[in-house]
Amino acid sequence: MIVAEVVRSGFVESVHHGVVAVHGGTSIGDVEKPFFPRSSSKPLQTVGLLNAGLTPREEADLALISASHDGEPFHVERVRAILAAAGLGPEALRCPADLPLGVVAQRDWLRGGGGPERILMNCSGKHAGFLATCVVNGWPLESYLEVGHPLQTMLAGTVSRLSGEPIAALGVDGCGAPIFAISPLGLARAFLTLVEAAPGTPERRVADAMRADPELVAGTGSEDTVLMTRMPGLIVKRGADGVSAAAMAGVGAVALKISDGSTRARVPVLLAALRRLGLDVPDLPEWVLGGGVPVGEVRAVL
């Protein structure tokens, strides 16, 4: 189903199809068909780590463990500190070496003569949380990304419990970790569970940490950071391949997938879905440029 149009100079030149699950409102498309939620599932996995005995140095660590961070210095240093508290160094990470995800952070890193490193990879916070949880439980470290590892078995159970669905398929995410297929509706249901959980529970601790330190969840000026900063009470988590999920207690939750994996339609569709819940959302246009200036935009057509 078409969920967004790309308008250039008043002419629709492209369209994006997708599905939008609105828990508390009207959904669009087959929202019960399983998909890979990619990094939008990270907050659910962090809940599992807490249930398995992870004790963060401070609650802000939970925001970074749930993050797809931009690789800014404050992100990297916190990942390093999480590992150090577990008696580990960056060499224990099994995510691939990468450059910072953020444009500015990447530019600054390259100008300083740096190259790809595992700790810079946007999922390194999650991997540090994985490793710290393995240390607590005495689980093997070298094999923590294998599907049959006790950590991954536990995380699959957590995602299933929070989404209210069985895991429909297993895959390998971009960072090398297993990814568990659920439906968009299940992802929205899980996000609502996080924000509406009782204070002090693992679910609520993750939601509260994300809201308290949104810049750790993404980065300076990134979409998730901006939305959580401008909309107090909201949690948002982007995912690769055109995925996003968000929730606010007492209001509802949304989860979306742009079918072609495009990121340019993600924010306009997410904002339109949040409006369906009656929320007052900020104006964050996704401009279409011509000659370096805006000549159109990507607009949701929900």
Side-chain angles (χ1 to χ4, degrees):
M1 191 166 187
I2 295 175
V3 295
E5 297 175 335
V6 181
V7 182
R8 180 182 297 275
S9 304
F11 183 82
V12 177
E13 68 171 352
S14 302
V15 296
H16 292 286
H17 294 76
V19 295
V20 184
V22 184
H23 197 292
T26 303
S27 297
I28 293 174
D30 186 358
V31 297
E32 295 186 359
K33 182 179 179 180
F35 78 134
F36 287 131
R38 305 299 297 273
S39 286
S40 291
S41 64
K42 286 177 180 175
L44 315 187
Q45 294 174 308
T46 306
V47 171
L49 301 183
L50 287 172
N51 281 326
L54 174 67
T55 303
R57 302 171 308 115
E58 51 191 41
E59 292 298 283
D61 286 350
L62 299 177
L64 187 62
I65 292 170
S66 304
S68 298
H69 65 75
D70 279 356
E72 296 174 81
F74 62 89
H75 294 125
V76 177
E77 290 311 308
R78 188 171 287 271
V79 174
R80 199 180 304 277
I82 293 170
L83 290 168
L88 303 172
E91 68 279 357
L93 295 168
R94 290 294 174 264
C95 52
D98 204 351
L99 293 171
L101 182 65
V103 174
V104 175
Q106 184 178 124
R107 180 200 64 199
D108 292 345
W109 183 256
L110 290 172
R111 281 180 176 174
E117 294 185 18
R118 294 181 188 232
I119 199 169
L120 299 175
M121 202 263 172
N122 74 88
C123 299
S124 65
K126 178 182 76 172
H127 283 249
F130 283 0
L131 285 163
T133 304
C134 288
V135 169
V136 168
N137 289 278
W139 293 335
L141 300 182
E142 291 287 334
S143 58
Y144 75 90
L145 295 182
E146 294 180 5
V147 171
H149 192 281
L151 174 76
Q152 300 303 334
T153 300
M154 177 274 297
L155 291 176
T158 300
V159 171
S160 178
R161 175 179 64 82
L162 291 173
S163 65
E165 302 174 356
I167 301 301
L170 291 173
V172 180
D173 212 340
C175 66
I179 185 69
F180 312 110
I182 55 175
S183 73
L185 188 60
L187 181 60
R189 185 185 301 118
F191 265 61
L192 191 60
T193 297
L194 265 59
V195 296
E196 294 192 339
T201 60
E203 292 83 357
R204 181 65 173 274
R205 288 175 65 190
V206 172
D208 287 348
M210 293 173 66
R211 291 181 289 208
D213 291 285
E215 73 284 349
L216 292 177
V217 179
T220 305
S222 296
E223 63 193 65
D224 291 357
T225 301
V226 171
L227 286 172
M228 286 189 281
T229 299
R230 296 190 186 181
M231 300 178 68
L234 187 75
I235 64 167
V236 186
K237 184 67 195 71
R238 63 189 177 184
D241 221 45
V243 178
S244 189
M248 182 177 288
V251 177
V254 302
L256 64 92
K257 163 70 176 178
I258 306 302
S259 298
D260 62 5
S262 171
T263 59
R264 67 179 177 178
R266 184 170 57 195
V267 172
V269 174
L270 174 62
L271 295 179
L274 292 173
R275 288 190 190 99
R276 285 192 164 215
L277 292 174
L279 291 172
D280 183 17
V281 303
D283 186 20
L284 298 174
E286 183 74 26
W287 298 118
V288 171
L289 301 180
V293 299
V295 296
E297 65 178 324
V298 182
R299 66 187 183 194
V301 290
L302 303 191

